Amino acid sequence: QVQLVESGGGLVQAGGSLRLSCAASGRTFSSGAMGWFRQAPGKEREFVAAIRWNGGSTDYADSVKGRFTISRDNAKNTVYLQMNSLKPEDTAVYYCAGRASFYSIYVRRYDYWGQGTQVTVSS
């Protein structure tokens, strides 16, 4: 089993920054991928960003390109999401997810999920 624990959420004003962390433990997969998703009230969970553990290739949703950066620290089994120029529409619960294969933008393709961390952006 893989356990994922997110941290770093909070309340920030529009234009501000936050960095989320996702620490993986248990049976981690060096050849797999990690993703960040978010879910706002009344909306479906949506893809934000993803990264491969091996090689570090990345993908981003159009809505966050140029503002968010995903990175990983293989030695710490930790993935980060640096969020800059935050907007009120970025308000959501942010989840990290893992899978033992190439990254995907689809929720159903991920096998492991964290508990989520709230990000609130005030206008």
Side-chain angles (χ1 to χ4, degrees):
Q1 276 288 6
V2 176
Q3 292 79 43
L4 303 176
V5 179
E6 302 102 333
S7 60
L11 173 64
V12 64
Q13 288 188 333
S17 299
L18 282 175
R19 189 176 83 152
L20 306 183
S21 300
C22 175
S25 61
R27 190 182 67 82
T28 55
F29 25 80
S30 60
S31 61
M34 298 291 290
W36 284 99
F37 291 77
R38 66 187 182 187
Q39 188 166 17
K43 295 188 176 181
E44 293 187 353
R45 195 169 298 188
E46 65 175 6
F47 171 75
V48 175
I51 189 168
R52 289 206 71 183
W53 283 113
N54 187 10
S57 57
T58 59
D59 192 17
Y60 295 92
D62 288 343
S63 59
V64 305
K65 280 181 181 176
R67 300 189 298 122
F68 291 10
T69 302
I70 189 170
S71 61
R72 91 278 190 225
D73 184 331
N74 292 56
K76 295 181 179 180
N77 286 330
T78 300
V79 174
Y80 305 97
L81 185 68
Q82 178 66 44
M83 305 185 295
N84 298 328
S85 302
L86 282 161
K87 305 175 181 179
E89 51 263 44
D90 294 318
T91 295
V93 177
Y94 283 70
Y95 299 89
C96 71
R99 66 191 303 252
S101 185
F102 199 77
Y103 57 64
S104 172
I105 66 171
Y106 299 108
V107 170
R108 63 181 181 275
R109 297 283 173 85
Y110 287 80
D111 301 308
Y112 306 101
W113 290 87
Q115 81 288 352
T117 185
Q118 177 70 46
V119 171
T120 303
V121 184
S122 62
S123 57

